[in-house]
Amino acid sequence: MKKTISFAILHFGVAFTVAYLLTGELLTASLIALIEPAVNTVAFYFHDLGWHKLKPKHSLQAKTSSFAVVHFSVAFLLSGELLTGGVMAMIEPAINTVVFFFHERLWRARSQQLALA
């Protein structure tokens, strides 16, 4: 759960920043930043859980790509206004895909250090 919470914090920050830059409205950006990452945090948890249960021998890049598809889908489905929502659905998941990759990389390194200790 700690892993999910740490990703959620990063995700909220990215969502708010992108939404504010697109809309220029604090309230709209705040609402988007609360709803979209909350739904994607739940999706992240189940994606991560499913990934570990299946124990695929795929790379971190494959895991990142599969979550990117989930993330884009949620961002687009939750968007309100078509143009802003479409742009949000393209930009925010793209940034969070990069954040997800480095989050996973850091989390794995941390787990390996704890295992050696």
Side-chain angles (χ1 to χ4, degrees), residues 59-79:
S59 66
L60 177 56
Q61 289 84 355
K63 183 178 182 183
T64 301
S65 297
S66 69
F67 185 69
V69 171
V70 171
H71 191 170
F72 173 83
S73 300
V74 170
F76 187 76
L77 291 171
L78 290 177
S79 60

Side-chain angles (χ1 to χ4, degrees), residues 3-92:
K3 181 179 179 183
T4 301
I5 291 169
S6 68
F7 180 71
I9 292 167
L10 294 171
H11 194 160
F12 280 98
V14 170
F16 176 81
T17 302
V18 171
Y20 183 74
L21 290 174
L22 287 173
T23 66
E25 298 177 20
L26 191 59
L27 181 59
T28 302
S30 298
L31 289 172
I32 290 170
L34 288 174
I35 296 168
E36 190 272 341
V39 172
N40 266 314
T41 298
V42 173
F44 172 83
Y45 175 77
F46 286 109
H47 179 268
D48 201 54
L49 188 67
W51 194 267
H52 288 294
K53 282 188 178 183
L54 296 175
K55 297 188 186 205
K57 295 180 182 178
H58 300 294
S59 66
L60 177 56
Q61 289 84 355
K63 183 178 182 183
T64 301
S65 297
S66 69
F67 185 69
V69 171
V70 171
H71 191 170
F72 173 83
S73 300
V74 170
F76 187 76
L77 291 171
L78 290 177
S79 60
E81 194 266 324
L82 190 59
L83 180 60
T84 302
V87 172
M88 180 76 180
M90 294 299 293
I91 294 172
E92 195 268 346

Side-chain angles (χ1 to χ4, degrees), residues 3 48 52 103-117:
K3 181 179 179 183
D48 201 54
H52 288 294
H103 180 265
E104 283 292 313
R105 198 167 160 186
L106 289 170
W107 200 267
R108 285 183 183 186
R110 181 178 174 266
S111 295
Q112 288 174 350
Q113 285 178 343
L114 291 175
L116 294 174

